Amino acid sequence: MLNRVRSAVAHLVSSGGAPPPRPKSPDLSNAPSAQPAVPPEAPRSPPARAGSGSSAPAKTVEARASFSRPTFLQLSPGGLRRADDHAGRAVQSPPDTGRRLPWSTGYAEVINAGKSRHNEDQACCEVVYVEGRRSVSGVPREPSRGQGLCFYYWGLFDGHAGGGAAEMASRLLHRHIREQLKDLSCWSSQKEVTHESLVVGAIENAFQFMDEQMARERRGHQVEGGCCALVVVYLLGKVYVANAGDSRAIIVRNGEIIPMSREFTPETERQRLQLLGFLKPELLGGEFTHLEFPRRIQPKELGQRMLYRDQNMTGWAYKKIELEDLRFPLVCGEGKKARVMATIGVTRGLGDHNLKVCSSTLPIKPFLSCFPEVRVYDLTQYEHCPDDVLVLGTDGLWDVTSDCEVAATVDRVLSAYEPNDPGRYTALAQALVLGARGTPRDRGWRLPNNKLGSGDDISVFVIPLGGPGSYS
């Protein structure tokens, strides 16, 4: 069983229509994985990671710099080209060099099947130090430098309408969180304000400041599009999962599935969107109605009674159709086809400051929230074994994979490895990505049941909650 699973994962990563295996990447031991963050007010420009020479024309440098992958992948120029190959869709993971991600975290990704020019997902994994703060009375300290705190950080950023927002968020969001966590030094034990609520507030504020920075710099730094953001922060014994968008996270603990996020889409946030349209009708520009109908209303149906629901309703009722009901609905479509103002399929995230309704000057940003929902999991309340994991995935994974299928893959792959083998979590991340991508056939990428595999970018983190990860 052990050899079969390992061989299958290794074969699929390097084949299935993909190019030959890439050369061994540079050793991560020469690249520190946890640099103290610089203040967000002075962000660095993204480097040209494709190894562009100084003699290259400016346009060539720009083109190469426009496509970047997470620095922890340590891709060579050739590896970067393979990561950008829509036909081969080779799975990318950090090099197995002994210098692993914090907690022996597993990671894997694959580009889309032609949905967008480049992989618009981005990822970040850091150990971040909050310097110069005195200890908090009554709370055990994290490993730290000097007198500060440290937190562990993982982030997945699913870009849309360009990769600029996702790339910027992957570089800077953890720095905003770091700045906000400095306020923890002012905390004193009070019944009405808990330490946990302060951390949640710091994360929420960081998302807002990140979004505001994107708004300020969208012209000068070409921060195009927007991104969904799924972030995990481990601090003082607790895991904080913050989600803004349609990426998702689950914990698989002793075979049990514990959801740690929910998707924010036009369907799940219909009532919030409708309420905003009701309270501020000027945002609808006379082009949309905040009411929802089972289908588009036709002019010939004026005066007839039709089913509808508004911002206060979860069920349906009848109303007499009036002239303003002929406007396009604020929320239309179902499932993955649901859209806000017939334009965007997610309702929370970062960026999208320039997004307008097609053939209109009507902005959509007022209906999109940058605030995440934060869920908390206390690691100290449970005994965890090495097979207990937190799985983060962009929607490319969850579009074709259920929670139960992920849990089954967790059991199948991890049981084939020794519990103290740190490479088991990377193998699991690769298996999850491969399972969602499928294999190339005559009619595209297919799953074993012949259904279509995911044609989207797929990115997965596997974070072990027990075992070799040093987080005590």
Side-chain angles (χ1 to χ4, degrees), residues 217-268:
E217 301 182 9
R218 63 185 185 273
R219 289 190 178 90
H221 290 75
Q222 297 181 337
V223 185
E224 75 277 14
C227 68
C228 300
L230 177 62
V231 162
V232 172
V233 171
Y234 171 79
L235 177 65
L236 299 173
K238 294 182 179 179
V239 173
Y240 298 81
V241 180
N243 183 47
D246 59 0
S247 298
R248 286 205 297 115
I250 64 170
I251 286 175
V252 180
R253 186 185 70 201
N254 194 26
E256 177 189 4
I257 297 168
I258 305 170
M260 291 302 296
S261 68
R262 63 189 176 105
E263 297 179 8
F264 291 101
T265 66
E267 283 192 319
T268 64

Coordinates of all heavy atoms in Angstrom, one line a residue, residues 217-268:
E217 N -3.3 52.5 -4.3 CA -2.2 52.2 -5.2 C -2.6 51.5 -6.5 O -1.7 51.0 -7.2 CB -1.2 51.3 -4.4 CG -0.6 52.0 -3.2 CD 0.4 51.1 -2.5 OE1 0.8 50.1 -3.0 OE2 0.8 51.5 -1.3
R218 N -3.9 51.4 -6.8 CA -4.3 50.6 -7.9 C -3.8 51.2 -9.2 O -3.6 50.5 -10.2 CB -5.8 50.5 -7.9 CG -6.6 51.8 -8.1 CD -8.1 51.4 -8.0 NE -9.0 52.6 -8.2 CZ -9.4 53.4 -7.3 NH1 -8.9 53.3 -6.1 NH2 -10.2 54.4 -7.6
R219 N -3.6 52.5 -9.3 CA -3.1 53.1 -10.6 C -1.6 53.0 -10.7 O -1.1 52.4 -11.7 CB -3.5 54.6 -10.7 CG -5.0 54.8 -10.9 CD -5.4 56.2 -11.2 NE -6.8 56.4 -11.5 CZ -7.7 56.7 -10.5 NH1 -7.3 56.8 -9.3 NH2 -8.9 56.8 -10.8
G220 N -0.9 53.4 -9.7 CA 0.6 53.5 -9.8 C 1.2 52.1 -9.9 O 2.2 51.9 -10.5
H221 N 0.6 51.1 -9.2 CA 1.2 49.8 -9.1 C 0.4 48.8 -9.9 O 0.7 47.6 -9.9 CB 1.2 49.3 -7.6 CG 2.2 50.0 -6.8 ND1 2.0 51.3 -6.3 CD2 3.4 49.7 -6.3 CE1 3.0 51.7 -5.6 NE2 3.9 50.7 -5.6
Q222 N -0.5 49.2 -10.7 CA -1.3 48.3 -11.6 C -1.9 47.1 -10.9 O -1.7 46.0 -11.2 CB -0.4 47.8 -12.8 CG 0.1 49.0 -13.7 CD 1.0 48.5 -14.8 OE1 1.5 47.4 -14.7 NE2 1.0 49.2 -15.9
V223 N -2.6 47.4 -9.8 CA -3.2 46.4 -9.0 C -4.6 46.1 -9.6 O -5.6 46.6 -9.2 CB -3.4 46.8 -7.5 CG1 -4.0 45.7 -6.7 CG2 -2.1 47.3 -6.9
E224 N -4.5 45.3 -10.7 CA -5.7 45.0 -11.4 C -6.6 43.9 -10.7 O -6.1 43.1 -10.0 CB -5.4 44.6 -12.9 CG -4.9 43.2 -13.0 CD -3.4 43.0 -12.8 OE1 -2.8 43.9 -12.2 OE2 -2.9 42.0 -13.1
G225 N -7.9 44.0 -11.0 CA -8.8 43.0 -10.5 C -9.0 43.0 -9.0 O -8.8 43.9 -8.3
G226 N -9.3 41.8 -8.5 CA -9.5 41.6 -7.1 C -9.2 40.2 -6.7 O -8.7 39.4 -7.6
C227 N -9.4 39.8 -5.5 CA -9.0 38.4 -5.1 C -9.9 38.0 -3.8 O -10.2 38.8 -3.0 CB -7.5 38.3 -4.8 SG -7.0 39.1 -3.3
C228 N -10.2 36.7 -3.8 CA -10.7 36.1 -2.6 C -9.5 35.9 -1.7 O -8.4 35.6 -2.1 CB -11.4 34.8 -2.9 SG -12.8 35.0 -4.0
A229 N -9.7 35.9 -0.3 CA -8.6 35.7 0.6 C -9.0 34.7 1.7 O -10.1 34.9 2.3 CB -8.2 37.0 1.2
L230 N -8.2 33.7 1.9 CA -8.4 32.7 2.9 C -7.1 32.7 3.7 O -6.1 32.3 3.2 CB -8.8 31.3 2.3 CG -8.9 30.2 3.3 CD1 -10.1 30.4 4.3 CD2 -9.1 28.9 2.6
V231 N -7.2 33.0 5.0 CA -6.0 33.2 5.8 C -6.2 32.4 7.1 O -7.2 32.4 7.7 CB -5.8 34.7 6.1 CG1 -4.9 34.9 7.3 CG2 -5.3 35.4 4.9
V232 N -5.0 31.8 7.6 CA -5.0 31.2 8.8 C -3.9 31.8 9.7 O -2.8 32.0 9.2 CB -4.7 29.6 8.7 CG1 -4.5 29.0 10.0 CG2 -5.9 29.0 8.0
V233 N -4.2 32.1 10.9 CA -3.3 32.7 11.9 C -3.3 31.8 13.1 O -4.3 31.5 13.7 CB -3.6 34.1 12.3 CG1 -2.7 34.6 13.4 CG2 -3.4 35.1 11.1
Y234 N -2.1 31.3 13.5 CA -2.0 30.6 14.8 C -1.2 31.5 15.8 O -0.1 31.9 15.5 CB -1.2 29.3 14.6 CG -0.9 28.6 15.9 CD1 -1.8 27.9 16.6 CD2 0.4 28.8 16.5 CE1 -1.6 27.4 17.9 CE2 0.7 28.3 17.8 CZ -0.3 27.5 18.4 OH 0.0 27.0 19.7
L235 N -1.9 31.7 16.9 CA -1.4 32.6 17.9 C -1.9 32.1 19.3 O -3.1 31.9 19.5 CB -1.8 34.0 17.7 CG -1.3 35.1 18.7 CD1 0.2 35.2 18.7 CD2 -2.0 36.4 18.3
L236 N -1.0 32.0 20.2 CA -1.3 31.7 21.6 C -2.3 30.5 21.8 O -3.3 30.5 22.5 CB -1.9 32.9 22.3 CG -1.0 34.1 22.4 CD1 -1.7 35.3 22.9 CD2 0.2 33.8 23.2
G237 N -2.0 29.4 21.0 CA -2.7 28.2 21.2 C -4.0 28.1 20.4 O -4.7 27.0 20.4
K238 N -4.3 29.1 19.6 CA -5.6 29.1 18.8 C -5.3 29.3 17.4 O -4.4 30.1 17.0 CB -6.6 30.1 19.4 CG -7.1 29.8 20.8 CD -8.1 30.8 21.3 CE -8.6 30.5 22.7 NZ -9.5 31.5 23.2
V239 N -6.1 28.7 16.5 CA -6.1 28.8 15.1 C -7.3 29.7 14.7 O -8.4 29.4 15.0 CB -6.2 27.5 14.4 CG1 -6.3 27.7 12.9 CG2 -5.0 26.6 14.7
Y240 N -6.9 30.8 14.0 CA -7.9 31.7 13.5 C -8.0 31.6 11.9 O -7.0 31.8 11.3 CB -7.6 33.2 13.8 CG -7.5 33.4 15.3 CD1 -6.4 33.1 16.0 CD2 -8.6 34.0 16.0 CE1 -6.3 33.3 17.4 CE2 -8.5 34.3 17.3 CZ -7.4 33.9 18.1 OH -7.3 34.2 19.4
V241 N -9.2 31.2 11.4 CA -9.4 31.0 10.0 C -10.3 32.2 9.5 O -11.4 32.3 9.9 CB -10.0 29.7 9.7 CG1 -10.2 29.5 8.2 CG2 -9.2 28.5 10.2
A242 N -9.7 33.0 8.7 CA -10.4 34.2 8.1 C -10.7 34.0 6.7 O -9.8 33.8 5.9 CB -9.6 35.5 8.4
N243 N -12.0 34.1 6.3 CA -12.3 33.9 4.9 C -13.1 35.0 4.3 O -14.1 35.5 4.9 CB -13.1 32.6 4.7 CG -13.4 32.3 3.3 OD1 -12.5 32.3 2.4 ND2 -14.7 32.0 3.0
A244 N -12.7 35.5 3.2 CA -13.5 36.5 2.4 C -13.5 36.1 1.0 O -12.5 36.3 0.2 CB -12.8 37.9 2.5
G245 N -14.5 35.4 0.6 CA -14.6 34.8 -0.8 C -15.2 33.5 -0.8 O -15.9 33.0 0.0
D246 N -14.8 32.7 -1.9 CA -15.4 31.4 -2.1 C -14.3 30.2 -1.9 O -14.6 29.1 -2.3 CB -16.1 31.2 -3.4 CG -15.3 31.5 -4.6 OD1 -14.1 31.8 -4.4 OD2 -15.8 31.4 -5.7
S247 N -13.1 30.6 -1.4 CA -12.2 29.5 -1.0 C -12.8 28.9 0.3 O -13.6 29.5 1.0 CB -10.8 30.1 -0.8 OG -10.3 30.6 -2.0
R248 N -12.3 27.7 0.7 CA -12.8 27.1 1.9 C -11.7 26.4 2.7 O -10.7 26.0 2.1 CB -13.9 26.1 1.5 CG -15.2 26.8 1.1 CD -16.5 25.9 1.4 NE -16.4 24.7 0.6 CZ -16.4 23.5 1.1 NH1 -16.2 23.3 2.4 NH2 -16.4 22.4 0.3
A249 N -12.0 26.1 3.9 CA -11.1 25.4 4.8 C -12.0 24.4 5.7 O -13.1 24.7 6.1 CB -10.4 26.3 5.8
I250 N -11.4 23.2 5.8 CA -12.0 22.2 6.7 C -10.9 21.6 7.6 O -9.7 21.5 7.2 CB -12.8 21.1 6.0 CG1 -11.8 20.2 5.1 CG2 -13.9 21.7 5.2 CD1 -12.5 19.0 4.6
I251 N -11.3 21.2 8.8 CA -10.4 20.3 9.6 C -10.9 18.9 9.5 O -12.1 18.6 9.6 CB -10.4 20.8 11.1 CG1 -9.6 22.1 11.3 CG2 -9.9 19.7 12.0 CD1 -9.7 22.7 12.7
V252 N -9.9 18.0 9.3 CA -10.2 16.6 9.3 C -9.5 16.0 10.6 O -8.3 16.0 10.6 CB -9.8 15.8 8.1 CG1 -10.1 14.3 8.1 CG2 -10.4 16.5 6.8
R253 N -10.3 15.7 11.6 CA -9.8 15.2 12.9 C -10.4 13.9 13.2 O -11.6 13.7 13.4 CB -10.2 16.3 14.0 CG -9.5 16.0 15.3 CD -10.0 16.9 16.4 NE -11.5 16.7 16.7 CZ -12.3 17.6 17.2 NH1 -11.8 18.8 17.5 NH2 -13.5 17.3 17.5
N254 N -9.5 12.9 13.3 CA -10.0 11.5 13.6 C -11.1 11.1 12.6 O -12.1 10.4 13.1 CB -10.4 11.4 15.0 CG -10.5 9.9 15.5 OD1 -9.9 9.0 14.9 ND2 -11.4 9.7 16.5
G255 N -11.0 11.5 11.4 CA -12.1 11.1 10.4 C -13.3 12.1 10.4 O -14.1 12.0 9.5
E256 N -13.4 12.9 11.4 CA -14.5 13.8 11.5 C -14.2 15.1 10.7 O -13.1 15.6 10.7 CB -14.8 14.2 13.0 CG -15.8 15.3 13.2 CD -15.9 15.8 14.6 OE1 -15.1 15.4 15.4 OE2 -16.8 16.6 14.9
I257 N -15.2 15.7 10.1 CA -15.1 16.9 9.2 C -15.6 18.1 10.0 O -16.8 18.1 10.4 CB -15.8 16.7 7.9 CG1 -15.2 15.6 7.1 CG2 -15.7 18.0 7.1 CD1 -16.0 15.2 5.9
I258 N -14.8 19.1 10.2 CA -15.2 20.3 10.9 C -15.0 21.5 10.0 O -13.9 21.9 9.7 CB -14.3 20.5 12.2 CG1 -14.3 19.3 13.1 CG2 -14.7 21.8 12.9 CD1 -13.3 19.3 14.2
P259 N -16.1 22.0 9.4 CA -16.0 23.2 8.5 C -15.4 24.4 9.3 O -15.9 24.7 10.4 CB -17.5 23.4 8.1 CG -18.2 22.2 8.4 CD -17.5 21.6 9.6
M260 N -14.5 25.1 8.7 CA -13.8 26.2 9.3 C -14.1 27.5 8.5 O -13.5 28.6 8.8 CB -12.3 26.0 9.5 CG -12.0 25.0 10.5 SD -12.6 25.4 12.2 CE -11.8 26.9 12.5
S261 N -15.0 27.4 7.5 CA -15.3 28.6 6.7 C -16.6 28.3 5.9 O -17.0 27.2 5.9 CB -14.2 29.0 5.7 OG -14.1 28.0 4.7
R262 N -17.1 29.4 5.3 CA -18.2 29.2 4.4 C -18.0 30.1 3.2 O -17.3 31.1 3.3 CB -19.6 29.4 5.1 CG -19.8 30.9 5.6 CD -21.0 31.0 6.4 NE -21.2 32.3 7.0 CZ -22.0 33.2 6.5 NH1 -22.8 33.0 5.5 NH2 -22.1 34.4 7.1
E263 N -18.6 29.8 2.1 CA -18.5 30.6 0.9 C -19.3 31.8 0.9 O -20.5 31.8 1.4 CB -18.9 29.7 -0.3 CG -18.0 28.5 -0.6 CD -18.4 27.7 -1.8 OE1 -19.3 28.2 -2.5 OE2 -17.9 26.6 -2.0
F264 N -18.8 32.9 0.4 CA -19.5 34.2 0.3 C -19.8 34.4 -1.2 O -18.9 34.8 -1.9 CB -18.8 35.3 1.0 CG -18.7 35.2 2.4 CD1 -17.6 34.7 3.1 CD2 -19.8 35.5 3.2 CE1 -17.5 34.5 4.4 CE2 -19.7 35.3 4.6 CZ -18.6 34.9 5.2
T265 N -21.0 34.2 -1.6 CA -21.4 34.3 -3.0 C -22.7 35.1 -3.1 O -23.3 35.4 -2.1 CB -21.7 32.9 -3.6 OG1 -22.8 32.3 -2.9 CG2 -20.4 32.0 -3.4
P266 N -23.1 35.4 -4.3 CA -24.4 36.2 -4.4 C -25.6 35.4 -3.8 O -26.5 36.0 -3.3 CB -24.6 36.3 -5.9 CG -23.2 36.3 -6.5 CD -22.4 35.4 -5.6
E267 N -25.5 34.1 -3.8 CA -26.6 33.3 -3.2 C -26.6 33.3 -1.7 O -27.6 33.6 -1.0 CB -26.6 31.9 -3.7 CG -27.1 31.7 -5.1 CD -27.3 30.2 -5.5 OE1 -26.5 29.4 -5.1 OE2 -28.4 29.9 -6.1
T268 N -25.4 33.1 -1.1 CA -25.3 33.1 0.3 C -25.4 34.4 1.0 O -25.8 34.5 2.2 CB -23.9 32.4 0.8 OG1 -22.9 33.3 0.3 CG2 -23.8 31.0 0.2

